[in-house]
C-alpha cells in the first residue's frame, strides 16, 4: 500500500510507518492524518507483531502544520478542538491501544504534537542530535495530543511544568536522563537499534506483551487493588494461550522459545 504522506510496509511481522513530509520536518496536515489512520487500521488488522514509527529526513515531526490554517486578519477563528477530536485523539488512542509494542525512533526534532505522538509510543528511542520541544506555549496554545497526560507521568510535575511553560528544547540525552524516553543513541546507531528491537518483538509473545503494555498504562489511574485484579484477569487470559506453554517448555528444554504471538 502506498500513501502520499507516509511510508508504510508490513513484512515478517514488522510494520513500519515513516512520516514522510521531510521538507516540513514531517509536520502533520489533515492528509497525513488520514494516511496514518488508514495505515494503523492495516497494522491492527494484519499480521503485524510490532510497529516501528519514525520520520523521514532530518526531523521526526514538527507538530501541527502551521501553514494549514488561514489566520490572516479577517479569517474566521479556527476550531482547534475539532482538529484534535478528528485527528490527534484517535491517533494517540490508536497507538496506545495497538495490541503490540510500538517503537518510536525519534530521528530528529520532535516538537509540539510531534513530541506528544512520540511519547504516546511504548518504547521511545532517540538520536543524540534529536530534541523534544513543548512548542505549544510559543504559539499561545495548551499542550495537546496527550502531552498534559503523558509528560507529568513520565518526568513529574516540576519538569513537565517547566518544559510546557517555557518551551525549551530538551536534548535527547537529557530526555533519557529524565526518564522521558527509553534510550538515546548515537545518530548512526538509532535505526539499527530500532530494527534490532523490532526484530526481537516480531517473534515475541505478542499477546502477553500487549497485555503488559495495557497493564502498565492502566496503573497510572488504578488503585493497588484494582491493579492486582487487572493482573489476575490478564494472567488468567494469557495462561490459556500457547505462548505461556511454549515459554515454560522452552525453559525446561533449555532452548530458545518459539512464540507464535497467542
Ligand atoms: C514547518 C513546521 C510546522 C509548517 C517546521 N508547520 N512548517 C496545534 C494547532 C492546532 C491544533 C492541533 O494542535 C496543535 C499542536 C501543535 O503541534 S502546536 C506546535 C506546532 N509546531 C511548532 O510550533 C514547531 C514549529 N517549528 C519550529 O519551531 C522549528 O521548525 C523546529 C524547532 C521544529 C526546527 O527548527 P529548525 O531545525 O531550525 O528548522 P526550520 O525551522 O528551518 O524548519 C525547516 C522547514 O520546516 C521550514 O520551512 P522552509 O520552507 O523555511 O525551509 C519550516 O517553515 C518548516 N516547518 N515546522 N510546524
Amino acid at each position: 500500500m502506498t500513501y502520499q504522506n507516509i511510508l508504510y510496509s508490513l513484512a515478517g511481522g514488522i510494520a513500519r510507518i515513516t512520516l514522510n513530509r521531510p521538507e516540513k520536518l514531517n509536520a502533520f496536515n489533515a492528509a497525513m492524518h488520514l494516511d496514518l489512520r488508514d495505515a494503523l487500521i492495516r497494522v491492527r488488522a494484519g499480521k503485524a507483531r510490532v510497529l516501528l514509527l519514525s520520520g523521514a529526513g532530518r526531523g521526526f515531526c514538527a507538530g501541527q502544520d502551521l501553514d494549514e490554517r488561514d489566520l490572516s486578519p479577517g479569517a474566521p477563528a479556527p476550531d482547534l478542538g475539532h482538529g484534535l477530536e478528528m485527528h490527534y485523539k484517535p491517533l494517540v488512542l490508536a497507538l496506545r491501544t495497538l495490541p503490540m509494542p510500538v517503537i518510536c525512533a525519534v530521528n530528529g526534532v520532535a516538537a509540539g504534537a510531534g513530541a506528544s505522538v512520540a511519547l504516546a509510543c511504548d518504547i521511545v528511542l532517540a538520536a543524540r542530535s534529536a530534541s523534544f520541544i513543548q512548542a505549544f506555549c510559543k504559539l499561545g496554545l495548551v499542550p495537546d495530543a496527550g502531552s498534559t497526560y503523558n509528560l507529568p507521568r513520565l518526568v513529574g510535575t516540576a519538569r513537565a511544568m517547566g518544559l510546557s511553560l517555557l518551551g525549551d528544547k530538551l536534548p535527547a540525552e537529557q530526555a533519557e536522563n529524565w526518564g522521558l524516553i527509553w534510550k538515546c543513541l548515537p545518530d548512526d546507531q538509532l535505526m539499527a537499534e530500532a530494527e534490532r528491537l523490532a526484530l526481537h518483538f516480531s517473534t515475541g509473545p505478542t499477546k502477553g506483551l500487549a497485555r503488559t503494555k495495557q497493564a502498565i498504562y492502566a496503573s497510572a489511574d488504578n488503585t493497588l487493588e484494582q491493579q492486582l485484579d487487572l493482573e489476575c484477569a490478564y494472567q488468567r487470559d494469557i495462561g490459556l494461550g500457547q505462548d505461556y506453554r511454549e515459554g515454560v517448555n522452552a525453559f525446561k528444554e533449555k532452548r530458545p522459545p518459539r512464540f507464535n504471538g497467542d
Side-chain angles (χ1 to χ4, degrees):
M1 182 67 198
T2 54
Y3 296 98
Q4 292 250 297
N5 303 283
I6 62 171
L7 304 174
Y8 170 74
S9 68
L10 170 53
I14 305 176
R16 295 178 182 81
I17 294 179
T18 306
L19 308 177
N20 193 27
R21 304 183 72 222
E23 70 289 353
K24 291 204 168 199
L25 302 180
N26 304 316
F28 288 109
N29 62 6
M32 188 159 89
H33 275 294
L34 293 179
D35 287 354
L36 271 172
R37 179 175 305 187
D38 190 81
L40 285 169
I41 289 170
R42 284 171 198 279
V43 174
R44 193 178 274 268
K47 292 193 166 27
R49 291 168 73 178
V50 55
L51 169 63
L52 172 52
L53 176 67
S54 192
R58 70 177 179 89
F60 170 70
C61 177
Q64 171 65 34
D65 187 331
L66 299 174
D67 296 326
E68 201 173 37
R69 287 191 184 84
D70 178 10
L71 295 179
S72 57
D79 178 353
L80 299 186
H82 180 71
L84 290 173
E85 277 168 7
M86 288 291 292
H87 297 308
Y88 290 97
K89 181 180 170 188
L91 171 60
V92 167
L93 291 178
L95 292 168
R96 267 298 154 98
T97 60
L98 210 58
M100 66 193 73
V102 179
I103 303 166
C104 184
V106 180
N107 51 298
V109 66
S116 308
V117 167
L119 298 180
C121 297
D122 306 320
I123 300 239
V124 186
L125 306 174
R128 187 150 291 142
S129 66
S131 55
F132 297 82
I133 310 175
Q134 295 295 307
F136 310 91
C137 59
K138 296 180 182 170
L139 306 176
L141 290 174
V142 173
D144 62 24
S147 185
T148 59
Y149 183 91
N150 287 320
L151 206 55
R153 283 171 169 77
L154 287 164
V155 297
T157 304
R159 284 170 171 166
M161 199 64 87
L163 290 170
S164 303
L165 295 182
L166 294 167
D168 288 350
K169 181 186 277 198
L170 183 72
E173 204 158 2
Q174 199 170 355
E176 181 192 296
N177 292 339
W178 282 10
L180 185 74
I181 63 169
W182 173 235
K183 263 184 200 171
C184 165
L185 295 141
D187 286 22
D188 61 356
Q189 290 173 29
L190 173 72
M191 289 318 292
E193 175 64 2
E195 289 289 345
R196 189 189 69 76
L197 284 182
L199 189 63
H200 169 78
F201 287 131
S202 71
T203 56
T206 312
K207 196 170 169 189
L209 298 176
R211 286 299 199 195
T212 301
K213 89 179 227 188
Q214 271 182 290
I216 300 262
Y217 289 134
S219 79
D221 305 305
N222 273 347
T223 62
L224 173 61
E225 188 170 0
Q226 287 169 326
Q227 202 62 18
L228 288 166
D229 287 341
L230 191 78
E231 290 172 2
C232 290
Y234 286 0
Q235 208 71 298
R236 180 171 291 129
D237 178 37
I238 291 298
L240 302 174
Q242 281 304 311
D243 280 348
Y244 165 58
R245 235 169 248 265
E246 168 61 10
V248 174
N249 287 333
F251 173 77
K252 287 183 182 165
E253 293 161 22
K254 299 188 188 301
R255 61 169 175 81
R258 290 181 295 269
F259 294 122
N260 66 15
D262 284 333

